[in-house]
């Protein structure tokens, strides 16, 4: 089972706008040295939609090398509304798992979501992690549907990015066997861990990585007082990091800390304002 804190890597850019692969390598090794269980390449936080195919391939190579050197898990984002395109990507993917978003914009209904993932599960060469993020996709998926999908042989888990709602409570109360529920809404990671989530895929864990790892360990060990204290503090950090569109504030903070060369993002994103970055730095 997938477990622990995974960091969905940003894509740092150089001053000329190119992908800063050396900066990416430095960041990947840093979060793994701090105890992260794995990396996610080509996630939303990585501004994947703005990368060219050669850039995407280079990002995966860097992340894969870092994960391999640390004995860590590598999850790679892969997905399209067309299951044929996604299946082709999955057949050639070299990773421990693939993060596949519920089809966005088309809103196929839950029956369509089931059919989509059943088709991918039959074709994939790597385990699938369903990315459930209805505020981006426009498609909600209920607990019973997620349980059904979790029973498919090649579905390993779900990145649950819908906060703390009735679906999360129901799913965590009776999850499928060997199915990992990973928190994907950073502010709510602590309560989801308290309910039994196996870990999280958290942009905020670029920062205070050790504390997020300790938070997961504290809930796992039943150290409620420590978990509550850490969870409350880290939730405040996450709130500041998402004050502007992700990953703009995060990049501003990493740049201020000297972790990346520039805070640049690609259109349609714009760099975060100074006040947002300063508020996030203060929360740390």
């Amino acid at each position: 089972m997938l477990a622990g804190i995974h960091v969905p890597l940003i894509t740092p850019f150089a001053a000329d706008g190119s992908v800063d692969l050396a900066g990416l390598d430095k960041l990947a090794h840093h979060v793994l040295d701090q105890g992260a269980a794995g990396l996610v390449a080509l996630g939303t936080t990585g501004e994947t939609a703005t990368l060219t195919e050669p850039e995407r391939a280079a990002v995966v190579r860097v992340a894969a090398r870092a994960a391999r050197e640390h004995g860590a898990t590598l999850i790679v984002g892969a997905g399209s509304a067309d299951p044929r395109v996604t299946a082709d990507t999955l057949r050639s993917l070299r990773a421990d798992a693939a993060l596949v978003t519920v089809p966005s914009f088309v809103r196929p209904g839950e029956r369509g979501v089931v059919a989509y993932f059943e088709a991918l599960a039959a074709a994939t060469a790597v385990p699938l992690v369903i990315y459930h993020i209805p505020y981006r996709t426009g498609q909600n998926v209920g607990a019973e549907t997620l349980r059904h999908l979790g029973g498919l042989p090649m579905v390993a888990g779900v990145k649950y990015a819908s906060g703390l709602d009735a679906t999360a409570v129901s799913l965590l109360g009776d999850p499928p066997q060997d199915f990992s529920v990973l928190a994907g809404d950073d502010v709510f990671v602590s309560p989801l861990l308290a309910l039994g989530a196996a870990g999280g895929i958290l942009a905020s864990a670029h920062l205070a990585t050790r504390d997020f790892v300790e938070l997961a360990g504290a809930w796992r060990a039943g150290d409620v007082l420590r978990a509550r204290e850490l969870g409350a503090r880290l939730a405040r950090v996450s709130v500041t990091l998402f004050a502007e569109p992700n990953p703009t504030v995060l990049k501003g903070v990493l740049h201020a800390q000297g972790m990346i060369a520039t805070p640049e993002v690609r259109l349609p994103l714009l760099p975060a304002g100074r006040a947002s970055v300063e508020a996030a730095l203060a929360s740390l």
Side-chain angles (χ1 to χ4, degrees), residues 25-248:
D25 182 68
K26 173 185 174 182
L27 193 59
H29 282 283
H30 171 73
V31 297
L32 292 172
D33 285 339
Q34 297 295 306
L39 305 172
V40 179
L42 305 185
T44 307
T45 304
E47 299 174 72
T48 305
T50 70
L51 303 181
T52 65
E53 283 302 323
E55 288 173 335
R56 293 180 190 183
V59 165
V60 172
R61 283 197 300 271
V62 169
R65 182 172 63 244
R68 184 170 60 250
E69 291 174 2
H70 286 263
T73 299
L74 175 66
I75 303 173
V76 175
S80 163
D82 186 340
R84 296 168 298 180
V85 174
T86 305
D88 287 343
T89 302
L90 293 172
R91 290 188 187 99
S92 60
L93 197 63
R94 298 291 181 266
D96 297 298
L99 182 65
V100 181
T101 308
V102 170
S104 62
F105 194 75
V106 294
R107 301 178 68 183
E110 292 196 54
R111 289 177 59 244
V113 171
V114 168
Y116 176 80
F117 280 103
E118 286 178 340
L120 294 183
T124 184
V126 298
L128 306 178
V129 177
I130 299 164
Y131 189 2
H132 178 47
I133 184 165
Y135 77 87
R136 288 189 185 271
T137 65
Q139 175 64 62
N140 193 42
V141 180
E144 287 305 314
T145 297
L146 290 171
R147 284 193 191 94
H148 172 80
L149 294 174
L152 298 177
M154 292 301 288
V155 174
V158 60
K159 177 182 177 181
Y160 195 86
S162 189
L164 179 61
D165 58 11
T167 296
V169 172
S170 176
L171 179 64
L172 286 165
D174 183 23
Q177 187 174 2
D178 299 325
F179 180 76
S180 298
V181 178
L182 302 171
D185 197 336
D186 297 31
V187 175
F188 296 99
V189 60
S190 188
L192 288 173
L193 288 167
L195 288 169
I201 298 176
L202 308 172
S204 302
H206 281 83
L207 308 168
T209 312
R210 285 191 189 277
D211 289 342
F212 279 101
V213 172
E214 184 183 351
L215 172 66
W219 279 120
R220 190 165 51 248
D223 187 349
V224 176
L225 291 178
R226 179 59 175 157
R228 284 177 174 171
E229 185 275 327
L230 276 170
R233 177 162 57 82
L234 293 173
R236 292 192 291 271
V237 173
S238 294
V239 167
T240 66
L241 292 174
F242 286 87
E244 297 190 38
N246 184 48
T248 62

